[in-house]
Amino acid sequence: MQRIATATALSVPAFRRVWAGATVSAAGDSASWVALVALALGSAHASLPVLVVLYTAPVAVGGLAAGWALDRFDRRRLMILDSAFRSAAFASIPLAALFGGLGAGQLYTVAAVYGLLKMIGLAGFPALIPSLVSGTQIDQANALEGVTFGLASLAGAGLAGVAVATIGPAPVVVFDAASYLVMALSLWSVHHLSSPARRLRLPRTPTPGTAGFRMVLRLAATNPVLRDTTIMFALFNIGEGALLVFLPHRAVGLGLGSGGYGYLVAATTAGQLLAAVLLARRTWRASLRASITVAQIAAGLVVLLLVIHSIVVTVVALVALGMCAAPMTAWAQSLRMRLVPPGAHGRLFALLRTTMQATPPAGAGVAALTLAHGTLVTVVAIAVAMGLPAVVLAHDLMSAATDADTTARPGNDRAPVAGPATPPERGYP
């Protein structure tokens, strides 16, 4: 790695505003999830596995619709509407709690709304990145998106753990509702995007064959880089889904109190933030495909440390897991941006992230089944889901003929694009 001598992505006002809004919004999501878990285990008497499934599973339906909409309509305006609607949905929880009417059904409904609309923001932000920064800043901007989730989760989960233990979970959900409004305002403030954004604007009547998912589906299925990383991450997320159920039980077992789950989530995201900050400050010169493979295998091995019932070992393992997970996302995102034309980025990120986000519910089921047989079985299942796919697919991924993992150099405003596997840009704005 070497230091970046050129202007950073944060020096671009439009990117800086959207990034700041996304960070606050992600912090709200991280905090409200800790609060929802506390409410489910407390006054609302909801089932935690059911809550996890409803919080994650609807993305399989909403994700594809979000991808189509992000490439069909103005991405900025769509994300503003999404933020406003989800703000109202989460605000309903503290209002119901205030009047004594909060029950499991409302928690389930809000969780499902979140999952259904999740991909608008999750795919919308990376789809906006090429319109906000230059080609030489894309890798750094992708790393900064990782900083967004790392910083947000660290602050959100950590503070939520303290808040839940002191003032209760309902005020934490109020913060999440407000954070969506911050995101909406940050997007609203970006009135005029850069010239790349104008090139990305889609007409009301798209060119035939460009509005659907057929081209993106075909490319995702046939391009080894897109196919293998998607499979690897989807199975990795099964492990993460199991962790969503496992960690609250581990926090209780360690005697960390009602805010303990938030502290453990904060440990994971501290590692994510550390790794993302390092990537944002330096240019990564190693092969991105090799780096992703090594990081995912390392993540699977690190998880095995959770077999040891110790606060120190648990925190160290979760920090290390975060340091492996965050770079994987940034590296894969850079590869994808170079393999697919910008006009299809909404569908690309929605399709791939929907596929990957649809698997945590399976992880929740794995945890529910294996916890009955003890910690060892659950931890081994998580480690296998996270690390084994990278071992199996390593040869296919590394032998793929592409130069897409070449890092953009200063002075080259256009990131490298793969050759034969890349569809022509004709028909895309």
Side-chain angles (χ1 to χ4, degrees), residues 37-113:
V37 169
L39 288 168
L41 296 177
S43 59
H45 304 294
S47 164
L48 184 56
V50 171
L51 185 67
V52 170
V53 169
L54 290 173
Y55 194 76
T56 55
V59 72
V61 176
L64 297 181
W68 173 84
L70 286 166
D71 283 342
R72 177 65 179 82
F73 302 106
D74 185 288
R75 292 169 182 168
R76 182 182 69 96
R77 292 180 182 177
L78 185 63
M79 292 171 68
I80 290 173
L81 291 174
D82 164 63
S83 295
F85 185 81
R86 282 199 277 177
S87 174
F90 275 91
S92 70
I93 289 179
L95 285 175
L98 180 64
F99 293 103
L102 180 64
Q106 185 166 356
L107 285 185
Y108 293 156
T109 300
V110 173
V113 167

Side-chain angles (χ1 to χ4, degrees), residues 35-420:
L36 290 178
V37 169
L39 288 168
L41 296 177
S43 59
H45 304 294
S47 164
L48 184 56
V50 171
L51 185 67
V52 170
V53 169
L54 290 173
Y55 194 76
T56 55
V59 72
V61 176
L64 297 181
W68 173 84
L70 286 166
D71 283 342
R72 177 65 179 82
F73 302 106
D74 185 288
R75 292 169 182 168
R76 182 182 69 96
R77 292 180 182 177
L78 185 63
M79 292 171 68
I80 290 173
L81 291 174
D82 164 63
S83 295
F85 185 81
R86 282 199 277 177
S87 174
F90 275 91
S92 70
I93 289 179
L95 285 175
L98 180 64
F99 293 103
L102 180 64
Q106 185 166 356
L107 285 185
Y108 293 156
T109 300
V110 173
V113 167
Y114 172 84
L116 190 65
L117 299 178
K118 178 178 182 177
M119 200 54 61
I120 294 178
L122 194 61
F125 185 21
L128 280 178
I129 285 177
S131 69
L132 297 172
V133 300
S134 67
T136 57
Q137 297 167 328
I138 283 181
D139 284 354
Q140 189 188 61
N142 287 333
L144 282 167
E145 191 200 9
V147 173
T148 290
F149 294 108
L151 181 62
S153 297
L154 177 61
L159 294 177
V162 175
V164 166
T166 54
I167 61 176
V172 176
V173 184
V174 173
F175 167 69
D176 190 23
S179 74
Y180 280 115
L181 297 181
V182 172
M183 179 62 177
L185 289 173
S186 70
L187 289 163
W188 186 264
S189 70
V190 184
H191 296 294
H192 301 288
L193 297 180
S194 61
S195 57
R198 289 194 291 271
R199 292 198 301 271
L200 291 180
R201 186 168 296 169
L202 291 170
R204 285 200 169 271
T205 305
T207 302
T210 66
F213 279 88
R214 184 177 301 175
M215 182 277 293
V216 177
L217 278 168
R218 184 171 62 250
L219 185 59
T222 59
N223 183 279
V225 174
L226 296 179
R227 182 185 63 238
D228 293 349
T229 56
T230 301
I231 294 172
M232 288 162 57
F233 288 10
L235 295 176
F236 183 92
N237 284 351
I238 290 178
E240 289 207 332
L243 275 178
L244 289 177
V245 177
F246 173 78
L247 289 182
H249 290 280
R250 170 54 60 92
V252 171
L254 293 174
L256 295 177
S258 58
Y261 174 62
Y263 307 146
L264 296 185
V265 172
T268 306
T269 52
Q272 293 175 341
L273 177 60
L274 178 59
V277 168
L278 291 174
L279 286 178
R281 290 176 58 85
R282 297 174 180 269
T283 300
W284 188 263
R285 299 296 182 185
S287 164
L288 300 187
R289 290 173 293 161
S291 300
I292 290 169
T293 302
V294 171
Q296 186 158 351
I297 294 172
L301 294 174
V302 161
V303 165
L304 291 174
L305 291 174
L306 294 176
V307 170
I308 303 173
H309 194 80
S310 159
I311 292 178
V312 173
V313 174
T314 298
V315 169
V316 170
L318 293 176
V319 170
L321 175 61
M323 292 188 70
C324 294
M328 288 162 45
T329 301
W331 291 329
Q333 190 160 289
S334 293
L335 288 173
R336 292 162 186 157
M337 283 183 176
R338 292 163 186 166
L339 287 166
V340 177
H345 281 176
R347 280 162 290 160
L348 171 71
F349 289 117
L351 174 65
L352 300 188
R353 290 190 170 188
T354 294
T355 302
M356 292 179 283
Q357 292 295 318
T359 53
V366 168
L369 292 173
T370 57
L371 280 171
H373 301 284
T375 296
L376 176 61
V377 177
T378 302
V379 170
V380 170
I382 294 172
V384 169
M386 287 186 168
L388 186 59
V391 175
V392 173
L393 294 172
H395 180 267
D396 186 56
L397 179 62
M398 294 306 301
S399 61
T402 177
D403 62 350
D405 56 354
T406 304
T407 303
R409 303 295 199 273
N412 175 18
D413 194 54
R414 183 181 180 89
V417 179

